[in-house]
Amino acid sequence: MSVVSSEVATDSVREFPVLGTAPAFSLWRDAVRREVIDEIGDFLVRACPAALTRLGAQDVLRQYALGGKCVRSTFMYLGWLCGAPDDPAALRAAAGLELLHAFALLQDDVMDRSATRRGAPSAHVRFAAAHHGTGAPGSSVRYGESAATLLGDMCLVWAEQMLRESGLAESTLARVWPRYDGMRVELATGQFADLLNDARLEPALDSVLAIARAKSGNYTVRRPLEMGAAMAGCGATVVDALGRYGAAIGEAFQLRDDVLGIFGSQAVTGKPADSDLAERTATSVVVLARELATSAARAELSDLLHRPRLGADELARARTLIAESGAPARIETMIAELVDSAHGALDAANFPTPMRAALAHMAAACTERVA
């Protein structure tokens, strides 16, 4: 798949849409996702021990590793295509990021005690139910959390194994390992900081955004793009431009997620609509609402967030206060400015039209999404 190909994707990632139209790119992206999912599925059949299958791990892995949109692997593969032609081994290397993402989600759900993931019971809840069903002694809750954590650890190992065994030359992989290690440390550091990210502590917006960039934004867009480009042997100009684009779109991605975390629905986000407010998560929307609200509204919102439990009426009132503060509108402005900045980074580096169009479509998918 070369950025100068004249074909439009159908059922293979071998053909890249040179004209960059939205329908053509959508077909290409769907083809990439199918091949990524196939690669992960084939790998897990080989890698997952039979003992885990008997414990129900395969169903959980399908939910966490095979049920997403493959955003990170797509960005990594686009980074590769900025400097090299289509290569099944490179796609296989990029696919491993979905297992890294599964690791992050499994741990995140345990730490946040999230009851659902992608519209279904989360891993620790499923494992706890299985433990309870066997009548085994001990705490089912404790078992479920431990089992989910261990499965996450395995996904972390498998992610690296899939990259290492992708079929790419060692000299090619050598260019990506330092960035891969740095991304994993950055992700863990962001998760660590997020443990104290509580709206009741009234953190500053800069602090909240820094956590979001480390925990989600960079790891979703910037680092995968940089890894793919470095793996392909791209020069510093290309890698730096992709980094600037990725930093902006990654932050915009998280801002959109923050809006959906309060005003989205479970039908489109796959998690309870009240999760961010109920868990007192200090997201950008909540922090901005507190900064922009009137004194009376700020006091009322603070009172609501400090209550032991928020009922339906209280959650609705909190959403109203946040909306009336002007915070959602300010977030929309911030997202638009970040998208403009990302496009500017690509324009300055004179990216080929097909790749610039592809990255523009990915930016839209990340920032205009409803799920």
Side-chain angles (χ1 to χ4, degrees):
M1 181 196 317
S2 168
V3 296
V4 297
S5 169
S6 61
E7 300 297 326
V8 173
T10 53
D11 60 352
S12 170
V13 299
R14 304 289 187 266
E15 302 167 343
F16 193 77
V18 68
L19 297 179
T21 64
F25 182 77
S26 180
L27 287 172
W28 178 84
R29 187 182 170 197
D30 288 344
V32 169
R33 182 182 182 277
R34 286 195 300 272
E35 294 205 19
V36 165
I37 294 300
D38 286 346
E39 290 287 357
I40 299 169
D42 290 345
F43 175 85
L44 289 176
V45 167
R46 302 190 304 272
C48 187
L52 290 184
T53 301
R54 291 193 294 271
L55 294 172
Q58 284 285 11
D59 289 340
V60 173
L61 287 171
R62 278 192 289 270
Q63 177 185 1
Y64 280 76
L66 306 180
K69 297 180 178 64
C70 300
V71 173
R72 292 153 190 85
S73 51
T74 301
F75 272 123
M76 183 171 173
Y77 198 55
L78 282 171
W80 167 270
L81 293 175
C82 286
D86 167 59
D87 188 333
L91 180 70
R92 195 174 303 118
L97 285 187
E98 299 309 314
L99 288 170
L100 180 65
H101 188 44
F103 150 76
L105 294 179
L106 285 161
Q107 287 210 344
D108 204 43
D109 285 349
V110 170
M111 289 187 288
D112 292 344
R113 297 181 179 177
S114 299
T116 62
R117 171 63 63 180
R118 292 173 176 159
S122 53
H124 63 280
V125 173
R126 297 176 71 157
F127 282 128
H131 179 273
H132 180 75
T134 65
S139 168
S140 294
V141 171
R142 178 70 172 169
Y143 171 84
E145 293 175 345
S146 299
T149 300
L150 288 171
L151 187 60
D153 291 343
M154 291 183 182
C155 286
L156 180 63
V157 173
W158 288 334
E160 180 174 327
Q161 182 182 349
M162 196 168 181
L163 176 59
R164 189 174 62 249
E165 298 177 357
S166 62
L168 291 174
E170 289 186 11
S171 58
T172 300
L173 292 175
R175 293 193 290 265
V176 79
W177 288 126
R179 294 179 184 275
Y180 190 55
D181 291 340
M183 179 184 68
R184 289 182 291 181
V185 171
E186 183 179 41
L187 171 61
T189 302
Q191 288 278 44
F192 208 107
D194 197 42
L195 293 174
L196 291 176
N197 188 26
D198 192 305
R200 290 166 292 190
L201 297 176
E202 301 188 10
L205 180 61
D206 286 347
S207 173
V208 170
L209 292 177
I211 293 172
R213 281 191 289 268
K215 179 188 173 186
S216 179
N218 285 348
Y219 143 78
T220 298
V221 185
R222 180 180 183 178
R223 303 312 181 195
L225 273 172
E226 291 175 335
M227 287 168 54
M231 195 167 66
C234 291
T237 299
V238 171
V239 175
D240 290 347
L242 289 174
R244 292 194 300 276
Y245 162 95
I249 297 303
E251 184 170 335
F253 173 91
Q254 184 56 50
L255 291 176
R256 175 61 63 208
D257 200 57
D258 289 350
V259 173
L260 290 172
I262 293 176
F263 297 103
S265 67
Q266 184 165 2
V268 297
T269 63
K271 62 181 181 180
D274 61 355
S275 59
D276 282 353
L277 287 174
E279 295 166 10
R280 313 307 197 275
T281 306
T283 65
S284 59
V285 184
V286 174
V287 172
L288 258 181
R290 181 173 275 143
E291 290 183 3
L292 298 176
T294 64
S295 297
R298 187 182 307 118
E300 184 179 358
L301 180 60
S302 179
D303 174 68
L304 287 169
L305 292 174
H306 278 82
R307 294 184 185 182
R309 180 181 177 278
L310 297 180
D313 291 343
E314 293 159 319
L315 286 167
R317 180 56 182 163
R319 289 194 193 94
T320 297
L321 290 169
I322 292 171
E324 291 177 346
S325 73
R330 179 71 66 84
I331 293 293
E332 295 296 338
T333 298
M334 292 170 64
I335 290 174
E337 291 173 346
L338 286 164
V339 171
D340 287 345
S341 174
H343 291 324
L346 300 181
D347 292 340
N350 197 28
F351 271 67
T353 298
M355 185 54 64
R356 194 164 61 247
L359 291 170
H361 292 313
M362 286 299 291
C366 288
T367 61
E368 297 173 7
R369 63 200 168 98
V370 294

